[in-house]
Amino acid sequence: MRILYVVGTRPNFVKTAPVIGALRERLPEGRHALVHTGQHYDRMMSAVFLEELGVPAPDHMLEVGSGSHAEQTARVMERLEPVLAEERPDLVVVPGDVNSTMAAAITAAKMQLPVAHIESGLRSFDRTMPEELNRIATDHLSEYLFIHSPEANDNLHAEGIPAERVHLVGNTMIDTLVALEGRFRAASAAATLGVEPGAYVLVTLHRPALVDGPLLPKTIAQLAALAREMPVVFPVHPRTRARMEVVEAEHPGLLLSEPLGYIDFLSLLADAGAVLTDSGGIQEETTFLGIPCFTLRANTERPITVTAGTNTLLGLDPTAISTIPTALSQRPAMPPEPPPLWDGHASERIADIVASSGRSG
Ligand code: UD1
C-alpha cells in the first residue's frame, strides 16, 4: 500500500507524527511518503517540531510560504498535483483544518485519490473562521473521517455524510503528548524562565479575529494588568509579533518569548497555573492534563473541552481576562478525566482501519 501524508503547520506535525509511526509499523512494506507544504517555515515553527517528534525528513517540500488564503491554497494545489501524479498513493492522509489540509484534500479528490482526514467533524458553526471552511470542504471530500469526540459524529451525520465513512478513533494529538510525557516532564522550562510551577499564566494568541484588528492592543493591556497579579508567560506567534510591532503595543511585565519547541511548550503547559489561548489544540491538551484553560473566543469547535474538560469560553472579549484570578481562586481541585479514547492509542486504531481496508481492497 502507498500512503502519502500532507502536513504544513505546527499542529499538523503533532497530529500526524504518531499516525505515520503507527502505519509504518503496521505496513512496513508499504510506501510512506511525507509532503511538507511549507505553510510554516521558520525553524521554530517547523523543523524543531519534526526533529522533536522523530518524523523522518519530508520526501517532498512544496515551499508555499505565506500569502493570502487564495494564494496559499492555490500554491499547495499547484505544487502537490505533480507529486500525487508521481507517487500515485492509495491513500492521502491530511490532518486538522489549515489551508494546507483543504488544498491537499481538493487536489487528491480531483485526482480520484481517496482522502483520510484526521480530526474530522469539528464545527464552530462560525463561517467567518477560515478553519471552519477548511473543515467542511475537507470532510466532504474524504473517504475516511477519523473523529475524536462524539459530537463530531452528530455534526457529520447532520451534513449527510454516510456513517460508514466515520470512525471514532480518539485523539492523535494526545498520542503525541503521551509519547513525549517523560521528556517534557523532565524539561523544567518554567525553571529556565524563572517562574514557579503552578503560579503563572501561559498565553498563546494567533487568530486573525483577535490579533489582526483592534482587539490586540486591548488584549495586551489586559495581560499587562494580569501580570501585576501573577507572572504571564507569552511565547509569541510570528503573526502576532508582526501585528504587535505595527500597533506598537506596550507590554510591561509580560514574559515574552519567541515561539517555543514542542517539548518546552508542553513543559510550560503542564506546569502552568492556568492557560489563556485562542488555539484549538491547546484546549484539548489542557483538558488532558487537567490544567484550567480560558479561551478568548466567541465559540469553540471543541465543546467537549468545556463539558468534559477544563476549558472556559471567555468570549471574544479582552476585558474578560480580568476575571481569571477570581475564577482560579474559586475553582475546585479536580483530577483530570480525559474524554474516552484520548488515551495515547488513537493512531493505532487508525492504522488498524487503514491496514484492514488495504487488505480488502
Ligand atoms: C495557521 C492556520 C491556523 C492554525 C495555525 C497554527 C490557516 C488558515 N490558518 O495560522 O488554523 O491554527 O496555523 O499555528 O491555515 N509566519 C512566519 N513564519 C512561519 C509561519 C508564518 O513568519 O513559519 C507569519 C507570516 O507573516 C504569515 C503569518 O505568520 O503571513 C500567518 O501564517 P499562516 O500560516 O498564514 O497562518 P497562521 O496564523 O500561522
Side-chain angles (χ1 to χ4, degrees), residues 65-84:
S66 303
S68 73
H69 288 279
E71 286 165 346
Q72 205 170 47
T73 307
R75 272 187 230 137
V76 174
M77 292 177 69
E78 212 169 37
R79 296 180 195 184
L80 183 62
E81 190 177 50
V83 172
L84 294 177

Side-chain angles (χ1 to χ4, degrees), residues 3 5 15-27 118 146-147 167-176 178-179 341-357 359:
I3 306 179
Y5 311 82
K15 291 164 195 169
T16 310
V19 178
I20 301 174
L23 273 161
R24 274 184 183 276
E25 206 172 298
R26 201 61 48 98
L27 299 168
I118 303 169
F146 294 122
I147 66 172
H167 307 273
L168 179 58
V169 293
N171 192 327
T172 68
M173 187 171 233
I174 299 303
D175 291 1
T176 294
V178 169
L341 303 183
W342 293 25
D343 59 358
H345 300 290
S347 304
E348 293 156 33
R349 295 184 195 102
I350 290 177
D352 284 342
I353 292 164
V354 170
S356 63
S357 76
R359 274 197 295 277

Side-chain angles (χ1 to χ4, degrees), residues 20 29 47 49 63 80 82 106 114 153 185 204 289 305 308 319 327-328:
I20 301 174
E29 306 298 323
F49 277 69
E63 296 182 349
L80 183 62
I106 296 176
N153 208 7
R185 294 277 180 204
T204 82
L289 292 166
T305 61
T319 62
L328 282 176

Side-chain angles (χ1 to χ4, degrees), residues 9 11 39-42 45 66 69 72 97-99 130-131 206-207 237-239:
T9 64
Q39 177 170 346
H40 284 176
Y41 45 86
D42 288 347
M45 300 289 287
S66 303
H69 288 279
Q72 205 170 47
D97 56 15
V98 302
N99 286 346
E131 292 82 2
H206 75 286
R207 299 238 175 234
H237 185 287
R239 174 194 281 277

